[in-house]
Amino acid sequence: MGYALLWLENLAAAILLAATLLAFVGTIRRRWLSRSLGVLAILLPLAAYAVAIALTSWLIERGVLVGVHRPLLMSTVCYTIGGAWMLLRGLRREPGSSVSIRAGHWPGGRLAAALAVVLVLHAMTFWSLDAAVRQRLMAVRAEAGSLALSLAPPRVTDSENAAPVYQHVFDALDAFDRPDIWTDAVEARHVPVSNEGGFDYASAELSEFLAQHAGELAVIRQAAALPECRFERDYGRLSFEAAVPEQLRFRHAAQLLDIDARHKAATGDMGGAMENINAIFSVARHAASEPFLISTLSSFAIERLGIQAFETVQKSAPIAEEDLSILDLDESVSHRRLAARSFQMEEAAGLSLFCTLESGPFVPMYFEQTELEGIAEASGITSMYRVFHLAEDLASYRAQFRVIHMASAKPYYLTRNQWTDVRGSSKSEGVGALTSLILPDPAKIVERVQWAEAMHRVAVLGIAVCRYQAIHGRLPAALTDLTPNFVQILPSDPFDGEPMRFKLTDQGCVIYSIGPDLMDNDGGPHDKSDRSGDIRFVVASHAKTGDVTPPTSED
Amino acid sequence: MNEWKLPDDLQRLENELKALPRPALPASLLTRGNQETCIPLRGERPRRWYGFAAAAAAAALLWANLSFRAAIATDFHLARQSQQSSVPQLEEQLHELLPELDARETRRQVVMIQASSGFAPRSAGPSPTVRSHRLTEIDQLL
């Protein structure tokens, strides 16, 4: 209704403008001049309409704008009819009169006054619509808040909550400067522990450094041993300062545990190394308790740190079964579920971002220090956006997330094409201006999630194979040998839904997923640059002649 | 141009009517008649009370609408003003945490987390008693 009124006023203003101009140019005595100017007067609003149509079409073509061109086209058609009528009536000759064309007799002053009144009313209608949109945004804000609060981690009892303990050790971690030995140890983690010529994890300097921080390590392990983690914060008003530095501290804590694990493995304390690695897995689980996408991705990175540490340590020396039994990498963890929760939080944050348009300019922070900063701060653009485009933009945002949530609910191998279609279709069909800025690239994120899921599953199987080897003194012939004593269910490859691949080699065995390239590369290492290769866990064989326990009937 | 003339019988009747004595008009009627005829001749319009009332009502409505909208548009600064760092600074922190994210995704994440500070409902934080109790527990644990 409001829009009908707005477009009606717009049309009235355009016709009155043309009529007023025509009335004034009609008073010119030279007929050819008055006629020429009269035609220009009629064409002036038409040119404005044409520019508006061209601009909106261009934006629609680029996938930035949706929806507004239809009423604009209708107004243009109506004005064209009105303009043609004015041309026919107003440009007629008026012989024997003081004016050259008939429009010269039109009451120019009254038409100008009417135009002024219509323009004032037009501006007020626009203003009223803008105010109404801003009021409606409050409901969207409430929706975003409810969604965010529903995703907040549940309250836990103090005795089970690791967060206060982490908080205590994080302060200590913040306080100490990271010496060169820390940096070297972190950077050297991809080489085997006992690699000659590489970083020496058994060095006296590293021993001294770790001894200085034995207290922090003990507290991190205590925190990691607690089942839950919930930081006391207002999930209705989260801040970057609260969310990101904490994840960074989780990562630093995991790095300290990683260095200590490798040091312990290098000095022969495999039990201590396993305790640290298990603590890394727990830290990853705790980091994932926050519903943000960055928390989820950060937790994946921490878990990968633990998996890499374990893979490196088990290659260096055999690990006893009692030490391996310390490791508790949960089989039932679903990275897909964590990602689905993060997408919901993304949606809530996006809705909240739409609400910032209620009072401020066009999302200035997005354009900070970019060439668009000045344009974004112009309040007129924000008002135009709110009145003409916000509704379609928001609808488009919700529609995109509906597809994302539906795809998140199913395994990746069933929805792979759907994920690539989300952003692809949005580009071709056009989404809103803000949606195109804030919509995540779900295909990329989901691929990363599946990568982490595959890594988790091969690691679960890798730990099981190590335990099997520790008990039986040999590697299993197939993954099926691991059930039900070492793993309850054999996990499938998230990329194709098939069982995880297993390959015996001269040095041990490789458990692998085919990875994002969807090609079985025979357990070859993954190359991030071209996404080729497999996601694998290599178990070293430590079997010795005469040290083989015959398989039991249970196996 | 030919002058138009009445027929003889009508002209005679006209003359007779002119000769009849005419009663004088009442002064009030004469004034009113003069007013009604003179105002249009001077190009003026008679002032009517309802025209003025309509104009005043239109102006009042316009003004009421204007003041209503202006009141709605006024920012009373009741909302919490968030004190947040600049986006490039935050991007730097996020890059340290997740270096594998590309520049677009990093900025997008920063903006999304910034936006998360604007959720409407306020969840209840822990009471000071609970907080102090928890700190005591941690001290005991350590």
Side-chain angles (χ1 to χ4, degrees):
Chain A
M1 184 66 189
Y3 285 104
L5 195 63
L6 193 74
W7 286 111
L8 199 66
E9 288 165 359
N10 187 274
L11 182 64
I15 288 174
L16 278 171
L17 174 67
T20 308
L21 291 174
L22 209 55
F24 283 115
V25 299
T27 56
I28 299 170
R29 284 188 176 277
R30 290 182 182 174
R31 194 185 301 145
W32 65 270
L33 187 61
S34 62
R35 280 193 164 182
S36 309
L37 290 175
V39 171
L40 282 179
I42 299 285
L43 289 178
L44 186 70
L46 202 60
Y49 276 125
V51 168
I53 288 171
L55 188 66
T56 48
S57 303
W58 180 72
L59 290 171
I60 288 166
E61 216 168 271
R62 288 172 66 91
V64 176
L65 213 58
V66 277
V68 294
H69 63 299
R70 198 170 297 165
L72 195 59
L73 281 173
M74 282 178 66
S75 288
T76 311
V77 169
C78 291
Y79 173 76
T80 309
I81 294 167
W85 182 83
M86 279 191 288
L87 270 177
L88 289 173
R89 300 278 297 179
L91 297 187
R92 277 188 189 169
R93 284 185 181 187
E94 195 71 351
S97 172
S98 60
V99 295
S100 54
I101 53 173
R102 189 174 281 181
H105 286 306
W106 292 356
R110 287 184 185 182
L111 284 170
L115 174 64
V117 169
V118 167
L119 284 176
V120 168
L121 292 176
H122 193 36
M124 291 194 74
T125 306
F126 179 82
W127 197 4
S128 300
L129 277 174
D130 190 26
V133 172
R134 289 162 70 175
Q135 278 187 329
R136 298 290 196 284
L137 274 174
M138 294 302 289
V140 179
R141 189 183 287 279
E143 181 193 344
S146 310
L147 186 56
L149 287 180
S150 73
L151 296 167
R155 288 192 175 276
V156 290
T157 57
D158 290 345
S159 58
E160 293 185 337
N161 193 2
V165 189
Y166 278 125
Q167 207 76 61
H168 187 71
V169 77
F170 284 166
D171 293 342
L173 282 179
D174 285 346
F176 82 81
D177 292 326
R178 279 156 192 79
D180 291 341
I181 189 81
W182 164 288
T183 316
D184 294 343
V186 168
E187 285 176 0
R189 66 170 184 263
H190 296 294
V191 297
V193 174
S194 56
N195 184 34
E196 284 183 12
F199 182 79
D200 183 10
Y201 279 98
S203 71
E205 193 185 355
L206 188 64
S207 298
E208 190 186 343
F209 169 76
L210 291 169
Q212 282 171 5
H213 299 290
E216 284 98 331
L217 281 161
V219 177
I220 294 170
R221 280 192 291 267
Q222 281 175 355
L226 290 168
E228 304 291 341
C229 181
R230 185 192 197 274
F231 287 93
E232 285 301 343
R233 60 170 62 119
D234 186 351
Y235 281 87
R237 292 156 201 266
L238 293 167
S239 71
F240 189 96
E241 282 75 5
V244 173
E246 224 149 60
Q247 288 297 327
L248 208 51
R249 289 161 177 165
F250 269 129
R251 199 150 179 172
H252 288 157
Q255 282 172 342
L256 191 60
L257 287 168
D258 175 46
I259 295 169
D260 194 44
R262 288 163 191 266
H263 169 72
K264 284 198 159 75
T267 53
D269 180 5
M270 283 298 182
M274 292 304 111
E275 272 180 19
N276 280 336
I277 290 169
N278 193 52
I280 295 173
F281 294 151
S282 298
V283 170
R285 188 167 46 81
H286 289 159
S289 61
E290 297 285 333
F292 292 117
L293 186 59
I294 56 156
S295 313
T296 306
L297 295 177
S298 172
S299 78
F300 294 166
I302 293 171
E303 189 180 82
R304 194 163 66 241
L305 193 72
I307 292 169
Q308 283 172 347
F310 175 66
E311 191 177 8
T312 311
V313 167
Q314 59 85 25
K315 280 180 191 168
S316 65
I319 308 170
E321 157 61 10
E322 61 266 26
D323 294 334
L324 284 168
S325 63
I326 294 169
L327 296 177
D328 181 22
L329 194 57
D330 193 352
E331 284 180 51
S332 59
V333 164
S334 167
H335 291 62
R336 180 163 56 86
R337 189 182 54 77
L338 291 175
R341 187 193 58 170
S342 299
F343 279 132
Q344 282 184 313
M345 192 65 182
E346 285 278 303
E347 185 183 2
L351 289 175
S352 177
L353 196 66
F354 272 99
C355 298
T356 59
L357 293 166
E358 175 203 339
S359 56
F362 193 80
V363 202
M365 52 197 171
Y366 211 107
F367 301 103
E368 199 174 310
Q369 292 190 2
T370 69
E371 65 274 15
L372 293 174
E373 192 171 5
I375 300 171
E377 283 178 358
S379 59
I381 286 184
T382 315
S383 299
M384 295 281 277
Y385 168 82
R386 275 195 297 252
V387 172
F388 292 116
H389 188 44
L390 177 63
E392 282 83 7
D393 202 350
L394 196 54
S396 154
Y397 183 75
R398 288 183 202 277
Q400 294 291 325
F401 264 98
R402 208 172 301 127
V403 177
I404 290 174
H405 295 323
M406 279 168 66
S408 301
K410 295 175 190 166
Y412 177 71
Y413 59 88
L414 295 177
T415 57
R416 202 166 39 237
N417 296 331
Q418 221 170 327
W419 285 113
T420 46
D421 283 352
V422 171
R423 208 166 169 83
S425 65
S426 67
K427 272 181 186 167
S428 58
E429 289 170 14
V431 293
L434 191 51
T435 302
S436 64
L437 283 175
I438 64 174
L439 193 70
D441 191 344
K444 262 188 190 175
I445 294 168
V446 167
E447 192 177 293
R448 196 166 289 161
V449 172
Q450 299 315 313
W451 208 95
E453 185 103 74
M455 196 71 216
H456 180 88
R457 290 179 183 181
V458 293
V460 166
L461 290 172
I463 293 168
V465 167
C466 287
R467 286 183 60 210
Y468 184 98
Q469 184 177 215
I471 290 173
H472 299 298
R474 60 176 173 82
L475 292 168
L479 288 178
T480 46
D481 293 350
L482 300 173
T483 52
N485 292 337
F486 300 97
V487 284
Q488 288 176 322
I489 301 169
L490 283 177
S492 60
D493 188 338
F495 285 97
D496 64 355
E498 297 294 319
M500 284 289 184
R501 277 73 172 175
F502 178 78
K503 185 184 146 191
L504 286 167
T505 61
D506 294 340
Q507 286 80 35
C509 67
V510 184
I511 305 145
Y512 66 96
S513 146
I514 57 168
D517 66 347
L518 305 177
M519 288 171 67
D520 190 341
N521 298 291
D522 208 25
H526 184 74
D527 185 358
K528 276 186 182 173
S529 60
D530 59 356
R531 297 166 63 243
S532 64
D534 298 325
I535 299 164
R536 63 181 196 163
F537 189 96
V538 179
V539 179
S541 170
H542 298 294
K544 293 174 187 170
T545 313
D547 193 25
V548 177
T549 309
T552 62
S553 57
E554 284 178 3
D555 301 332
Chain B
M1 191 181 282
N2 294 329
E3 221 173 281
W4 185 77
K5 282 185 178 178
L6 286 169
D8 292 343
D9 54 339
L10 286 177
Q11 187 63 50
R12 196 170 51 250
L13 190 61
E14 175 78 14
N15 292 337
E16 282 175 10
L17 281 171
K18 278 184 182 173
L20 284 174
R22 281 178 293 181
L25 280 171
S28 61
L29 193 60
L30 190 64
T31 313
R32 191 177 155 194
N34 284 343
Q35 276 181 349
E36 292 291 327
T37 51
C38 289
I39 289 170
L41 286 174
R42 286 204 304 267
E44 290 178 10
R45 299 175 70 181
R47 289 181 183 175
R48 304 208 188 275
W49 66 271
Y50 47 83
F52 174 77
L61 276 174
L62 201 65
W63 190 256
N65 196 352
L66 189 71
S67 66
F68 181 62
R69 293 291 152 222
I72 285 179
T74 304
D75 187 0
F76 296 99
H77 303 288
L78 300 179
R80 189 184 69 154
Q81 302 294 315
S82 57
Q83 302 287 325
Q84 294 185 325
S85 312
S86 73
V87 170
Q89 268 184 339
L90 301 176
E91 278 179 320
E92 208 173 298
Q93 281 188 43
L94 191 56
H95 183 71
E96 191 186 346
L97 176 67
L98 294 167
E100 62 270 26
L101 292 184
D102 58 35
R104 181 195 179 271
E105 183 60 20
T106 305
R107 171 153 290 210
R108 198 188 68 79
Q109 280 299 330
V110 168
V111 171
M112 298 304 266
I113 298 170
Q114 294 259 39
S116 306
S117 65
F119 297 135
R122 187 176 177 80
S123 62
S127 65
T129 323
V130 173
R131 194 174 288 143
S132 64
H133 171 66
R134 190 163 303 152
L135 289 173
T136 318
E137 274 192 346
I138 297 166
D139 287 341
Q140 285 171 355
L141 185 68
L142 298 177

